[in-house]
Amino acid sequence: MNGIHDMGGMHGFGRVPVEDDARFHAEWERIVFGLVRTVRPQGVYNIDESRYGIERMPPAEYLSASYFERWLASLERNLVEAEVLTEAEIEAAYERARDLEKPGDLVPEREDPKLAARIRDAFAQPASFDRSGGEPSFAAGDRVRVRNAHPEGHTRCPRYVRRTSGVVREVHGRHVFPDARVEGEDRAEPLYTVAFEATELWGPDAENPDDTVHVDLWEPYLRPVGGGVDE
């Protein structure tokens, strides 16, 4: 979907701030991280649904939210949509937390060794989304053009590369296609790293005409150069 979250190439936001390598700036961020990483392996929702939840935040809320506030917003949305919690239950918990002098008092104590072991195993497993299937349509060195598609749902194809041409640098096999996965379809498509010249993306306004931008793109986003009108 097109939205404020797709900020690549947008004017007016300045340089990306680079902070220190600290992952968490407050205790609540650590808790949110732990909650998300605990819930997802249980099949309540997947990483693509997590991203899609963030994408559906109202633009003003998205821009004013921090990184982990966006994670929390998506967690709440996905738990409600999965009917694990209701909005009323979340709001009630928020109101209880406001009345506490020590927010840590709100965290319930629960011992579940089997759940803890399952989550530890999930953390230890290397992430792999590679799938078997047919041969890819493109090979390294092929020139491709990104389709001019504007889906209403989730997509991993950024707007700033649409309608531009690049060269396939690497073929990564077949991987889970995020656009379909948020709709409940476990579909795999070939994944490529595509190189774009800076002037192809930004025209004469490119900061450095000699720069090359590499973007990972799934096959449905692409067509051969000269393969017909823009889509």
Side-chain angles (χ1 to χ4, degrees):
M1 64 186 295
N2 293 336
I4 191 63
H5 68 279
D6 193 355
M7 301 177 72
M10 273 187 167
H11 292 285
F13 289 96
R15 292 182 177 274
V16 176
V18 179
E19 299 182 0
D20 57 34
D21 59 359
R23 174 175 289 175
F24 307 116
H25 300 89
E27 178 66 9
W28 71 266
E29 295 183 343
R30 185 186 65 81
I31 294 173
V32 169
F33 177 81
L35 284 171
V36 171
R37 291 297 303 272
T38 298
V39 171
R40 284 208 308 244
Q42 298 184 71
V44 178
Y45 67 105
N46 58 53
I47 190 171
D48 298 304
E49 291 170 317
S50 180
R51 293 181 176 124
Y52 190 36
I54 293 174
E55 292 168 12
R56 288 179 286 162
M57 292 178 67
E61 290 182 15
Y62 178 89
L63 289 176
S64 62
S66 68
Y67 181 78
F68 281 105
E69 285 174 336
R70 294 167 186 168
W71 273 45
L72 178 58
S74 179
L75 173 65
E76 292 178 352
R77 179 189 293 273
N78 276 284
L79 289 176
V80 170
E81 291 179 350
E83 299 183 347
V84 174
L85 293 174
T86 66
E87 292 183 2
E89 287 172 329
I90 294 173
E91 185 64 27
Y94 172 72
E95 292 299 328
R96 289 196 301 272
R98 290 181 61 184
D99 295 334
L100 292 174
E101 294 184 6
K102 298 180 180 179
D105 293 342
L106 184 69
V107 179
E109 292 289 337
R110 177 188 173 190
E111 293 186 5
D112 189 334
K114 291 183 179 180
L115 174 61
R118 194 161 69 242
I119 299 307
R120 283 196 297 270
D121 289 343
F123 272 69
Q125 295 298 320
S128 175
F129 299 92
D130 200 2
R131 299 288 189 274
S132 60
E135 294 297 315
S137 298
F138 305 111
D142 287 350
R143 288 194 60 80
V144 293
R145 188 169 180 85
V146 184
R147 298 178 184 274
N148 186 29
H150 301 274
E152 294 183 0
H154 177 61
T155 185
R156 297 288 285 169
C157 183
R159 280 178 295 185
Y160 74 93
V161 300
R162 298 174 195 171
R163 301 186 70 181
T164 64
S165 299
V167 177
V168 174
R169 288 287 185 244
E170 288 190 63
V171 182
H172 299 289
R174 299 172 65 87
H175 289 251
V176 173
F177 186 43
D179 305 41
R181 197 173 185 221
V182 298
E183 302 297 333
E185 182 183 353
D186 190 16
R187 170 181 158 198
E189 294 287 351
L191 178 65
Y192 308 89
T193 294
V194 182
F196 299 89
E197 295 179 359
T199 51
E200 173 71 10
L201 298 176
W202 320 124
D205 293 330
E207 184 175 2
N208 186 346
D210 296 325
D211 282 346
T212 301
V213 178
H214 294 83
V215 183
D216 288 342
L217 298 167
W218 276 263
E219 189 166 291
Y221 303 154
L222 306 171
R223 64 175 177 80
V225 167
V229 298
D230 286 321
E231 299 177 60

